[in-house]
Every structure is written in C-alpha cells, then in structure tokens.
Amino acid sequence: MTSRRSLLLTASGLAALSAPPLLRAQAPAPSVADPARLIVTEPLWMPGLERTRRLRVYLPPDYAAQPARHYPVIYLHDGQNLFDAATGFNGEWGVDELLDRLAREQGLAAIAVGIDHGGERRNTELSPWDHERIGKGEGFAYLRFLVETVKPYVDARWRTRPESASTALIGSSLGGLVTHAALHRHREVFGLGGVLSPAFWVNEQRARMLAESEPLLAHQRLVLYGGGREDRDMLPMARRMAELLRRQSRHLLYIEEPSAGHNEAAWRAVLPRVLAHLFGDAG
C-alpha cells in the first residue's frame, strides 16, 4: 500500500496525533482472526467528493451457519487500523478478535464495517468544519456517503438489522469528531455511537451548536471517552461536551482513563466497554 503521512492539529497548534501517517507492514504482523470472514470490497464512489473508497467487512463466526439470522452492524472509520496490524498504523484495534470473543462468550454477534480512510485526505474528510490548518472540512459530505452509499450497499449484500437501534458508528480523534456530528445530523440512522478521544478542538463551538440544535433522540445510546495523557485541551473539551449531552440523554456513558494516551492501544483497550454499553445494559 502507498505510504502516506498525515498530520493533525491540536487546539494550540500542529501536532502529530493518531491519524495514520504511514500504512506499512510491521514485522511480525499478526493476521486477521479469520481471513475468510473479512471481505475487502470493490471501490465505492463517493458522490460530492469525487473519489472512491473500499470497505472492510467482518462477518461473525456463525454467519454462514445461520442463514436466517440478521445482525446489528458496527460501522467504524479508519478501516485499515481495525483488523490487521499489517495495514494499520501503530497497531490495530483487534475488532475481529474482540467480536469473535464476544460472540463466543456473550452471544453478541455483529457485522463490523470499516471504512478506509483517505490517506492524506483523511483530515479533511473526517472534519465537519473548516480549519485554518486542516483546510476545508468535508465531513458532512463523508457522512452522506456513509448514509446514502455505504449503508445501503451493506444492507443489500449482507443480512443486517438495518434499524437505527441496531446501527452503531464508532471513531477516534477526527473519527470521533465526525461520529459526534453523525449522531446529531443523522440521528435517525445511527442509534448507537462511540465518540473516542474526539478532536473537538477543530471547532468546539460548532460542535456544541450542532448538539444543541439537533439534540439526541430518546433511544440513542452513546459513549464519550477521553484519555488522561492526550493533549491537554482534549479532555476538558470532552468533559464539557459530556455535561451538555447528559442533559439530552440518559443513555450516555462518559469514560475517562487517566493513564491512556492518544493511540490505537488505548482505543483497543476501551472498545469492550464501549460495545457493552451500546449493545447491553453495561456501563
């Protein structure tokens, strides 16, 4: 895969966060849990953005053996980072191993869909608003691609439960920011959301205005998470947003992990708690 470097900004200036700057094989690179159940799709056209993007679709262990069963769907940004260290930057989330374990131990069987990021275009695609250093935000066009292209494509090809209460969206950093935007702008589509280490510094005021003007619906469940060793501005912003969202939803779980940094290892560690809250009564 072509190597690309992608820089993110903090509220106070330019800093390298966890946007995947290099997509290179690591040695040794563990493989996915079961390659037969991880499908890389054809390129999908992104209307309004005039480019294409592939999906990585994980199927649960019993998918082939249960032809009448339909499954909830977990959509996640940064598809290259989710399933395989060979395509991820700085490790992987281990989504396939986790979902295999949850299916085996807790009966939570779900389809997971990773939307590949756009390399050097990742920052603009996942930013709903313009930023002086990132450039013109394309996040709302990216979300229309998810809602109008990706979700219908997935629902037509696999046995999904397409209703909002069974549709999750999870992302970190700028992926967390665009997930926050999706939970408000597309409330009828994404009933479940994981907003991890959100980059509210891009435009905290606009993020709050969106939350206030298009408040969460009663059924929506979400997790808002921040790490104590992230940029100094990120955790206070997450706390302020949590206070706002608590007034809208009794289904908000706010998590702080004091020792966690801004990286794939932190998001991999918190993902079991995120899924437990979104798909159960835990949290």
Side-chain angles (χ1 to χ4, degrees):
M1 181 173 291
T2 303
S3 296
R4 297 184 177 102
R5 181 163 299 277
S6 178
L7 294 178
L8 292 179
L9 300 171
T10 64
S12 57
L14 188 63
L17 292 180
S18 66
L22 291 176
L23 300 178
R24 60 176 180 268
Q26 302 173 1
S31 182
V32 297
D34 184 352
R37 291 189 285 110
L38 186 62
I39 302 159
V40 180
T41 73
E42 62 192 335
L44 303 184
W45 184 250
M46 305 176 79
L49 296 176
E50 309 308 310
R51 62 195 73 135
T52 63
R53 194 59 38 81
R54 295 183 187 272
L55 312 178
R56 298 166 194 257
V57 181
Y58 157 93
L59 300 177
D62 69 350
Y63 188 86
Q66 299 287 342
R69 186 173 184 181
H70 289 68
Y71 300 84
V73 182
I74 305 166
Y75 293 91
L76 304 102
H77 313 290
D78 294 322
Q80 297 96 324
N81 290 4
L82 304 175
F83 305 108
D84 192 346
T87 58
F89 165 71
N90 195 28
E92 54 151 318
W93 287 37
V95 172
D96 48 340
E97 291 91 347
L98 173 60
L99 288 178
D100 277 4
R101 179 171 63 82
L102 293 178
R104 182 174 63 251
E105 297 177 359
Q106 301 180 25
L108 173 58
I111 295 170
V113 178
I115 304 98
D116 277 6
H117 65 72
E120 70 273 7
R121 289 172 166 165
R122 176 187 187 269
N123 291 355
T124 55
E125 280 186 4
L126 298 184
S127 178
W129 300 288
D130 300 349
H131 189 280
E132 59 182 1
R133 296 290 182 89
I134 289 178
K136 185 174 179 58
E138 299 174 320
F140 289 115
Y142 169 81
L143 290 179
R144 288 194 297 273
F145 166 65
L146 263 60
V147 170
E148 298 174 8
T149 301
V150 172
K151 189 174 187 300
Y153 178 92
V154 170
D155 289 339
R157 284 161 179 78
W158 291 280
R159 299 192 308 274
T160 69
R161 289 163 50 187
E163 66 273 11
S164 174
S166 297
T167 304
L169 183 63
I170 299 174
S172 62
S173 193
L174 282 170
L177 178 66
V178 80
T179 298
H180 165 82
L183 292 171
H184 295 276
R185 179 59 51 87
H186 298 286
R187 296 171 292 177
E188 75 288 353
V189 176
F190 300 109
L192 311 169
V195 180
L196 312 184
S197 306
F200 288 133
W201 49 262
V202 169
N203 197 321
E204 184 183 12
Q205 182 180 8
R206 295 290 294 274
R208 292 180 64 87
M209 289 173 59
L210 177 62
E212 291 170 341
S213 63
E214 301 181 49
L216 297 170
L217 300 176
H219 75 278
Q220 285 182 285
R221 301 179 67 92
L222 69 151
V223 176
L224 179 58
Y225 161 87
R229 294 186 177 178
E230 301 188 83
D231 179 85
R232 65 176 183 233
D233 295 317
M234 296 186 74
L235 201 54
M237 291 181 184
R239 289 171 179 166
R240 289 193 289 270
M241 187 63 72
E243 287 302 311
L244 188 161
L245 296 179
R246 282 193 185 105
R247 299 195 293 268
Q248 298 182 4
S249 174
R250 61 185 181 88
H251 299 304
L252 168 69
L253 173 63
Y254 177 63
I255 300 174
E256 282 189 16
E257 180 51 61
S259 63
H262 194 88
N263 51 55
E264 275 67 29
W267 302 319
R268 176 173 182 150
V270 78
L271 189 59
R273 293 182 66 187
V274 173
L275 295 180
H277 180 71
L278 297 184
F279 291 96
D281 296 325

